[in-house]
Amino acid sequence: MDLAIEKHAARRADRAARCSPLHRCCFAALQEGAVSLAELCAEDSPFTTRPLSEAQADQQVRWLLRVGLLRREVDGQGLTDRVRLTPLGRQVVASWPEERCPPASLQERWANGLRRWLGIWS
């Protein structure tokens, strides 16, 4: 893959992750194994900055799948509702400090929201 494209993909994935309502501990758990949609939308979930409905959690997961940060886990029956980090996701999370996700700027949040709304992930 072209180095410029690879860097662009890493920046896009990093911005999407930092704009998401997922805590650093969620990304740490995703490095170790899979996390289910139910774990993300549990009322007392340690993985999110705010309570998420199942639809909101699903939307967040779908966006992070699109930008290449996450992938669905597969079992003997096919796709599951569990996700884990991709190699790109591991690279992004490895670049962060251990204690927390770096905050996203207002400009990054705006750009990420606009891209999500328009369906642009490149």
Side-chain angles (χ1 to χ4, degrees), residues 4-26:
I5 294 172
E6 202 171 295
K7 284 184 177 183
H8 179 72
R11 281 194 310 269
R12 178 192 62 221
D14 178 66
R15 181 183 59 232
R18 290 183 300 110
C19 290
S20 79
L22 303 181
H23 279 300
R24 175 72 168 88
C25 70
C26 181

Side-chain angles (χ1 to χ4, degrees), residues 56-101:
Q56 290 171 323
D58 185 56
Q59 287 176 347
Q60 289 296 326
V61 165
R62 285 176 188 245
W63 177 245
L64 296 177
L65 287 164
R66 273 194 183 155
V67 298
L69 195 77
L70 300 179
R71 66 178 170 87
R72 291 239 184 241
E73 187 172 69
V74 179
D75 66 7
Q77 304 297 314
L79 291 176
T80 68
D81 75 335
R82 298 174 64 79
V83 292
R84 57 179 58 233
L85 287 177
T86 62
L88 174 62
R90 290 179 183 281
Q91 175 187 337
V92 166
V93 173
S95 70
W96 295 345
E98 282 294 316
E99 59 277 354
R100 54 180 266 186
C101 294

Side-chain angles (χ1 to χ4, degrees), residues 31-47:
Q31 279 184 302
E32 299 300 317
V35 173
S36 72
L37 200 57
E39 291 173 283
L40 293 178
C41 61
E43 191 170 316
D44 58 345
S45 176
F47 294 141

